[in-house]
Amino acid sequence: MIFFIQMLFSRNFYEFSLRFILLFLVILFSFFLIRGIFREISQLKRLGQMKSEFVSIVSHQLRTPLTAAKGYLSLLLDGTYGNLDAKPREILEKVFISNERLIRLINDLLNVSLMDYNKLGFKFERFSFENMVSGIVDELKIEAFHKNLFLAWEKPAKPLPQIWGDPEKLYQAILNIIDNAIKYTKQGGVTVKIEEMERGEMKKLLLTISDTGEGIESDRLESIFEGFDRGERMSKLHIEGKGLGLNFSKKIVLAHHGKIWAESEGPGEGSTFFIELPVNF
Ligand code: ADP
């Protein structure tokens, strides 16, 4: 603009030509600069998408054989091929737990890569949340047992209404949290319960997962849901985590118009995670 105005107010032809050339050069430079920036942005977007697709393909490829291994291990542990002695059973249980961890790690990665590109398709249906949670507790019993922890399921006194949601995604979201409760507890154990609540016209289910574990500092109670917050303490104590599980769980709960939050009296005092889900939305 300045060059253009200066050009209009030139005193002679020489000054006019000089300013005209300057203006032309500035426009040319800006054009190439802006085009370069746009190209760079689209390149970055393409790279991001490629990275996400790569993670997604690799995760699928890894998950399939691990799931097959899990099936065979379950059959062995259930005694389908005969009773096992204590020692081989103990070793197989360890293999089973490690395999489970790997599957969950891959699921986390896959979910986050899908989340990034809003490809996480939801399949909503009406189902029993209560049965789903008790199934997860059953599945994680072996892990808790191995760490000498109790994993208590406080069955609701009366049957709870079915909810409207995506059972597969909610399963993964809740599994993350109960699995964390076991992972971050050394002594005592984990208690899981669901209550029905009436909020005005709305019926809701409140799932509570409380542990007697390592607890959470008050300034991290919110940031742990934002992804990649593992805390200095946990990074030292548990090397394998990535700090992605809770972020995924939060996104899933929000997609169900629910709420998720954590409470803890601080380090060493245990933690309680709450998930509130509307029966209908
Ligand atoms: P990860 O467990 O892989 O690190 P998460 O997103 O599941 O990732 O959890 C984020 C962080 O929140 C953990 O690193 C840990 O510091 C903290 N956390 C989660 N659950 C618990 C729990 N039950 N007790 C104590 N800390 C927890």
Side-chain angles (χ1 to χ4, degrees):
M1 279 299 279
I2 291 170
F3 282 129
F4 182 69
I5 293 167
Q6 278 182 341
M7 190 182 80
L8 289 183
F9 291 99
S10 307
R11 274 165 296 174
N12 52 45
F13 182 70
Y14 172 72
E15 213 173 82
F16 177 84
S17 322
L18 201 70
R19 286 176 180 169
F20 178 79
I21 292 169
L22 258 175
L23 179 66
F24 178 75
L25 288 176
V26 166
I27 290 174
L28 201 70
F29 176 74
S30 313
F31 171 76
F32 282 115
L33 188 72
I34 291 169
R35 199 175 66 163
I37 291 172
F38 275 110
R39 278 196 180 159
E40 207 66 34
I41 291 173
S42 71
Q43 186 85 350
L44 281 176
K45 271 192 189 157
R46 220 165 50 84
L47 274 177
Q49 212 147 356
M50 274 165 65
K51 186 196 75 190
S52 170
E53 275 163 21
F54 173 75
V55 173
S56 168
I57 290 166
V58 172
S59 311
H60 277 299
Q61 302 283 357
L62 288 174
R63 203 161 51 160
T64 315
L66 288 173
T67 311
K70 175 184 171 167
Y72 288 121
L73 285 169
S74 302
L75 288 175
L76 280 171
L77 285 168
D78 288 349
T80 312
Y81 300 114
N83 282 338
L84 293 171
D85 289 340
K87 195 68 196 169
R89 164 170 287 276
E90 192 192 319
I91 292 169
L92 275 182
E93 277 175 1
K94 282 187 182 152
V95 178
F96 184 88
I97 289 168
S98 305
N99 191 64
E100 281 290 272
R101 285 221 169 279
L102 257 178
I103 293 177
R104 249 168 262 146
L105 200 98
I106 290 165
N107 278 346
D108 273 4
L109 272 178
L110 187 63
N111 290 330
V112 170
S113 76
L114 290 174
M115 276 291 184
D116 272 356
Y117 283 88
N118 300 321
K119 277 196 233 148
L120 200 91
F122 282 89
K123 288 196 201 95
F124 289 101
E125 60 186 76
R126 197 156 287 287
F127 72 100
S128 165
F129 186 60
E130 176 188 340
N131 288 348
M132 192 196 85
V133 175
S134 98
I136 298 176
V137 171
D138 277 344
E139 196 175 317
L140 293 176
K141 277 245 158 85
I142 189 168
E143 218 166 302
F145 175 76
H146 216 81
K147 283 187 74 180
N148 282 328
L149 300 174
F150 66 82
L151 176 54
W153 162 235
E154 289 186 5
K155 199 174 158 45
K158 60 179 179 84
L160 300 173
Q162 295 200 325
I163 66 161
W164 180 247
D166 183 324
E168 212 182 302
K169 305 283 183 310
L170 278 174
Y171 177 91
Q172 194 64 43
I174 308 301
L175 184 98
N176 281 344
I177 294 170
I178 306 183
D179 188 43
N180 272 348
I182 298 171
K183 184 160 91 181
Y184 296 115
T185 300
K186 283 205 189 92
Q187 267 174 9
V190 180
T191 308
V192 182
K193 64 172 181 188
I194 311 179
E195 292 154 284
E196 191 178 341
M197 332 235 300
E198 303 261 349
R199 290 266 160 90
E201 288 288 281
M202 283 271 261
K203 268 195 181 161
K204 296 191 173 195
L205 297 186
L206 179 67
L207 168 68
T208 313
I209 297 153
S210 35
D211 65 59
T212 57
E214 294 162 17
I216 304 168
E217 298 86 344
S218 58
D219 59 342
R220 293 184 57 231
L221 285 172
E222 283 179 23
S223 59
I224 49 171
F225 293 99
E226 302 314 321
F228 297 106
D229 175 4
R230 304 209 56 233
E232 263 176 52
R233 230 160 31 94
M234 297 309 179
S235 306
K236 281 184 203 131
L237 288 169
H238 306 271
I239 303 138
E240 61 187 294
K242 308 162 303 310
L244 295 174
L246 286 181
N247 183 244
F248 173 77
S249 300
K250 181 180 172 181
K251 284 178 175 159
I252 298 297
V253 171
L254 291 184
H256 286 79
H257 301 252
K259 273 195 236 160
I260 181 168
W261 72 98
E263 291 177 5
S264 171
E265 296 293 318
E269 300 295 322
S271 321
T272 304
F273 282 76
F274 298 90
I275 291 130
E276 191 184 88
L277 290 170
V279 170
N280 295 304
F281 61 86

